[in-house]
Amino acid sequence: MEEKGDAASGEVARCAEHGKKLMYFCRVEKQKVCSKCAITGSHRGHTVVAVEEALSELKESLTAKLVELQAESSEQTSRLEEIERNTTAAQEQAEILERQVQDDFAALRTFLDSEEKVLMELIAAEKQKTLEELRRLKAECLQRIAHLKLLIDPLDAALQTTNVNGLLKVLNTSSDRFRNPYETVNDPIVHFEAEKFCGPLQYKVWKKMFQIIQTVPEAYTFDHSTAHPYLQISANRRSVIPLCAPLPVVSMDARFDTALCVLGAEAFSTGKHYWEVTVNKKDKWDLGVAFNCISRHGDIVYRPSDGIWCLTLRDGCHYEACDDPDIRLKVQHKPCRIGIYVDYEGGVVSFFDAETMQMLHVFRAHFSHPLIPLYSPCKLEDGALGDQRLSIFKLNV
């Protein structure tokens, strides 16, 4: 069936087979048909509706499709804007980081150049002092050798004669005119005192370098008033060990009563901080930071949304960053010491293998309360081998 007629002129098209107006729409064949086509013709038995109804339905479908495409276009436009914002932010953050790295290394180079210059000046001064003294001793020694030669030559010549009177004369003259050279006291011969500059040079410079390094391992301590009764804090407050039985401690609001945790004694709400925790070969532990206002009662959930940024180890090999959802970490080498870095203004909490300084995970956040270190050596299990304590590393410089 074909249509004939000029739709553009407003005339209704007619069926090429029956000559009737195409007033209906076949939903099966997706085309306009006449009444005869629909009743007895090739479209008999098909679902047929009036053209106006079909037109309305088609417009509804197109409208729905248009809305869907417009929504997707709007989504992509928003995505593009976010990409552009992130591109700008990435460029700005990278430039800031590049400048910071350049400034940090420039400070180290300036310090090392200054230390090298001072040391080289000291060595040069010691060298000059030693050489001047040796030149003085050499000149004095040459003068004495020449003086001794004046004594030796007449004596040597006299030994060649057999005239007794001549020998006596030379001996009498020698004793009157010349003083015995061995009566002169010689100044000690100096040497270059290299030992002044020996020793662990790089170590000495490294220790002095801490004067310019802003972030070094801080010797934090545990707040024993927050420790769960099954946790024992060492006398120096830098080690915590799980126990089989509870300690007779006083119950207080600050103390954890369910979670086997203890907080640090030092909170901070500004600056950059770094500390290290020795975990040895423990099979499980929890380490991180938390808002100092977190509840100490009942079970707690390690989530940034709850004000806790934490890394955990279970079964000796399963490392997780506690997020929503948790993030399983791939750690090839089991660290014996964990480094924790916090940049409060920068909104960063990072965890490192403190021996290799390989980053394990980084959280990004916006901090609204003071932060405080959080630790858990986890429950002491029967048959647990090895040292079960957590210890805060103290760098001795």
Side-chain angles (χ1 to χ4, degrees):
M1 181 202 73
E2 296 181 356
E3 299 181 13
K4 66 178 182 178
D6 188 359
S9 64
E11 182 182 347
V12 178
R14 293 181 177 273
C15 176
E17 180 180 355
H18 303 108
K20 289 182 173 290
K21 292 181 179 181
L22 301 174
M23 304 293 291
Y24 302 96
F25 181 80
C26 177
R27 287 177 173 171
V28 177
E29 300 291 339
K30 306 296 184 187
Q31 64 183 66
K32 291 192 289 185
V33 298
C34 69
S35 58
K36 196 165 185 179
C37 288
I39 298 172
T40 60
S42 58
H43 294 273
R44 183 166 56 91
H46 292 177
T47 302
V48 176
V49 296
V51 169
E52 292 79 3
E53 183 180 347
L55 182 61
S56 177
E57 291 176 353
L58 290 173
K59 285 186 175 182
E60 287 180 3
S61 297
L62 289 175
T63 300
K65 186 64 176 179
L66 178 61
V67 170
E68 179 183 341
L69 292 175
Q70 287 174 336
E72 184 176 351
S73 176
S74 177
E75 180 182 343
Q76 291 301 317
T77 300
S78 298
R79 177 178 173 83
L80 177 60
E81 292 174 353
E82 183 178 358
I83 290 172
E84 291 175 344
R85 286 195 301 270
N86 286 0
T87 299
T88 301
Q91 292 173 339
E92 293 175 350
Q93 291 171 0
E95 290 172 0
I96 292 173
L97 184 58
E98 288 168 352
R99 288 194 295 270
Q100 179 182 338
V101 170
Q102 290 173 345
D103 291 345
D104 287 348
F105 276 90
L108 291 176
R109 282 191 289 269
T110 299
F111 170 80
L112 291 174
D113 290 344
S114 176
E115 287 296 307
E116 180 184 11
K117 180 180 178 182
V118 169
L119 187 57
M120 293 298 287
E121 289 175 351
L122 291 174
I123 293 174
E126 184 68 19
K127 174 184 174 183
Q128 182 178 359
K129 173 185 173 184
T130 302
L131 292 179
E132 286 179 353
E133 178 64 10
L134 288 172
R135 282 193 289 268
R136 186 188 71 79
L137 293 176
K138 179 180 178 180
E140 185 180 88
C141 190
L142 289 173
Q143 184 179 8
R144 290 179 180 177
I145 290 174
H147 182 71
L148 289 171
K149 189 173 185 304
L150 293 176
L151 294 176
I152 291 171
D153 288 347
L155 295 177
D156 188 44
L159 289 174
Q160 307 303 319
T161 183
T162 58
N163 187 326
V164 174
N165 291 330
L167 291 175
L168 289 173
K169 183 179 179 181
V170 170
L171 286 173
N172 291 333
T173 302
S174 300
S175 60
D176 294 337
R177 294 179 57 192
F178 302 105
R179 181 177 297 178
N180 188 340
Y182 295 105
E183 294 177 357
T184 302
V185 178
N186 290 316
D187 292 333
I189 299 176
V190 299
H191 66 278
F192 179 68
E193 297 183 4
E195 58 272 13
K196 288 183 179 180
F197 311 99
C198 293
L201 173 61
Q202 292 179 335
Y203 179 68
K204 290 192 292 185
V205 173
W206 175 73
K207 291 184 71 172
K208 291 183 67 176
M209 193 180 294
F210 281 89
Q211 300 171 7
I212 65 166
I213 296 178
Q214 296 180 356
T215 307
V216 297
E218 301 180 56
Y220 286 154
T221 56
F222 296 112
D223 181 357
H224 53 75
S225 68
T226 67
H228 188 278
Y230 275 78
L231 297 180
Q232 182 175 16
I233 308 301
S234 63
N236 64 7
R237 298 195 301 158
R238 285 201 294 271
S239 292
V240 56
I241 186 169
L243 303 174
C244 297
L247 294 171
V249 295
V250 177
S251 178
M252 57 181 67
D253 289 340
R255 191 180 303 281
F256 288 98
D257 57 16
T258 303
L260 207 69
C261 295
V262 59
L263 296 177
E266 299 83 7
F268 46 85
S269 56
T270 185
K272 298 175 181 178
H273 305 267
Y274 176 74
W275 65 101
E276 296 178 354
V277 183
T278 301
V279 297
N280 294 313
K281 297 189 179 297
K282 281 178 61 62
D283 288 336
K284 54 184 180 179
W285 45 255
D286 307 333
L287 296 173
V289 294
F291 286 145
N292 66 345
C293 57
I294 63 168
S295 173
R296 320 293 166 79
H297 307 299
D299 293 328
I300 62 173
V301 180
Y302 299 151
R303 290 285 184 275
S305 57
D306 292 327
I308 301 176
W309 294 262
C310 195
L311 203 71
T312 66
L313 170 66
R314 295 294 183 269
D315 301 323
C317 60
H318 296 148
Y319 295 86
E320 285 189 348
C322 299
D323 210 328
D324 192 11
D326 293 338
I327 301 171
R328 178 66 62 89
L329 306 179
K330 294 182 179 179
V331 179
Q332 302 297 330
H333 168 72
K334 185 175 183 178
C336 290
R337 196 161 73 235
I338 302 296
I340 305 170
Y341 173 76
V342 176
D343 179 353
Y344 192 93
E345 286 79 9
V348 171
V349 179
S350 303
F351 296 86
F352 296 85
D353 178 340
E355 296 171 313
T356 64
M357 292 310 294
Q358 177 184 0
M359 182 178 288
L360 303 176
H361 186 71
V362 58
F363 289 99
R364 295 196 174 275
H366 174 73
F367 304 124
S368 56
H369 299 281
L371 292 173
I372 196 164
L374 180 144
Y375 313 87
S376 174
C378 296
K379 183 180 178 182
L380 181 65
E381 295 183 354
D382 295 337
L385 301 176
D387 192 347
Q388 294 300 302
R389 76 186 63 212
L390 294 178
S391 299
I392 300 174
F393 174 72
K394 181 182 179 182
L395 179 66
N396 296 315
V397 293

